Coordinates of all heavy atoms in Angstrom, one line a residue:
C285 N 119.3 101.0 61.9 CA 119.2 102.0 62.9 C 120.0 103.3 62.5 O 121.0 103.2 61.9 CB 119.8 101.5 64.2 SG 118.9 100.1 64.9
T286 N 119.4 104.4 62.9 CA 120.1 105.7 62.8 C 120.2 106.2 64.2 O 119.1 106.2 64.9 CB 119.4 106.7 61.9 OG1 119.2 106.1 60.6 CG2 120.2 108.0 61.8
F287 N 121.3 106.6 64.7 CA 121.5 107.0 66.1 C 121.7 108.5 66.1 O 122.6 109.1 65.4 CB 122.7 106.3 66.7 CG 122.6 104.8 66.7 CD1 123.0 104.0 65.7 CD2 122.0 104.2 67.8 CE1 122.9 102.6 65.7 CE2 121.9 102.8 67.9 CZ 122.3 102.0 66.8
H288 N 121.0 109.2 67.0 CA 121.2 110.6 67.3 C 121.4 110.9 68.8 O 120.5 110.7 69.5 CB 120.0 111.5 66.8 CG 119.7 111.4 65.4 ND1 120.5 112.1 64.4 CD2 118.8 110.8 64.7 CE1 120.0 111.9 63.2 NE2 119.0 111.1 63.3
A289 N 122.6 111.2 69.2 CA 122.9 111.5 70.6 C 122.5 112.9 70.8 O 123.4 113.8 71.0 CB 124.3 111.2 71.0
D290 N 121.2 113.2 70.9 CA 120.8 114.6 71.0 C 119.3 114.6 71.4 O 118.7 113.6 71.6 CB 120.9 115.3 69.6 CG 121.3 116.7 69.8 OD1 120.8 117.3 70.8 OD2 122.0 117.2 68.9
Y291 N 118.7 115.8 71.5 CA 117.3 115.9 71.8 C 116.5 115.8 70.5 O 117.1 116.0 69.4 CB 117.0 117.3 72.4 CG 117.6 117.4 73.8 CD1 118.9 117.9 74.0 CD2 116.9 117.0 74.9 CE1 119.5 118.0 75.2 CE2 117.4 117.1 76.2 CZ 118.7 117.6 76.3 OH 119.2 117.6 77.6
V292 N 115.3 115.4 70.6 CA 114.4 115.2 69.4 C 114.4 116.5 68.6 O 114.5 116.4 67.3 CB 113.0 114.8 69.8 CG1 112.1 114.6 68.5 CG2 113.0 113.5 70.6
S293 N 114.3 117.6 69.2 CA 114.2 118.9 68.5 C 115.4 119.2 67.6 O 115.3 119.9 66.7 CB 114.1 120.1 69.6 OG 115.2 120.0 70.5
A294 N 116.6 118.5 67.9 CA 117.8 118.8 67.1 C 118.0 117.8 66.0 O 119.0 117.8 65.3 CB 119.0 118.7 68.1
T295 N 117.0 116.9 65.8 CA 117.2 115.8 64.8 C 116.4 116.3 63.5 O 115.5 117.2 63.6 CB 116.6 114.5 65.2 OG1 115.2 114.6 65.4 CG2 117.2 114.0 66.5
P296 N 116.8 115.8 62.4 CA 116.2 116.2 61.1 C 114.6 115.9 61.2 O 114.2 115.0 61.8 CB 116.8 115.2 60.0 CG 118.0 114.7 60.7 CD 117.8 114.7 62.1
V297 N 113.9 116.8 60.5 CA 112.4 116.7 60.5 C 112.0 115.7 59.4 O 111.6 116.1 58.3 CB 111.7 118.0 60.4 CG1 110.2 117.8 60.5 CG2 112.2 118.9 61.5
E298 N 112.2 114.4 59.7 CA 111.8 113.4 58.7 C 110.6 112.7 59.3 O 110.5 112.4 60.5 CB 113.0 112.3 58.5 CG 114.2 112.9 57.9 CD 115.5 112.1 58.1 OE1 115.4 111.1 58.9 OE2 116.5 112.4 57.5
L299 N 109.7 112.3 58.4 CA 108.4 111.8 58.8 C 108.5 110.3 59.0 O 109.0 109.5 58.2 CB 107.3 112.1 57.9 CG 107.0 113.6 57.8 CD1 105.8 113.9 56.9 CD2 106.7 114.2 59.2
H300 N 108.1 109.8 60.2 CA 108.1 108.4 60.6 C 106.7 107.9 60.6 O 105.7 108.6 60.7 CB 108.7 108.2 62.0 CG 110.1 108.6 62.0 ND1 110.6 109.9 62.1 CD2 111.3 107.9 62.1 CE1 111.9 110.0 62.1 NE2 112.4 108.7 62.1
D301 N 106.5 106.6 60.5 CA 105.2 105.9 60.5 C 104.7 105.9 62.0 O 103.5 105.8 62.2 CB 105.3 104.5 60.0 CG 105.7 104.5 58.5 OD1 104.8 104.8 57.7 OD2 106.9 104.3 58.2
A302 N 105.6 105.9 62.9 CA 105.2 105.8 64.3 C 106.3 106.2 65.2 O 107.5 106.4 64.7 CB 104.8 104.3 64.7
A303 N 106.0 106.5 66.5 CA 107.0 106.9 67.4 C 106.7 106.3 68.8 O 105.6 106.0 69.1 CB 107.0 108.5 67.6
T304 N 107.8 106.0 69.5 CA 107.7 105.5 70.9 C 108.4 106.6 71.8 O 109.3 107.2 71.4 CB 108.4 104.2 71.1 OG1 109.8 104.4 71.0 CG2 107.9 103.1 70.1
S305 N 107.9 106.7 73.0 CA 108.5 107.4 74.0 C 108.2 106.6 75.3 O 107.1 106.8 75.9 CB 108.0 108.8 74.1 OG 108.6 109.5 75.2

Side-chain angles (χ1 to χ4, degrees):
C285 296
T286 305
F287 298 89
H288 296 284
D290 215 327
Y291 292 90
V292 177
S293 55
T295 65
V297 182
E298 293 162 351
L299 294 183
H300 295 76
D301 296 280
T304 67
S305 177

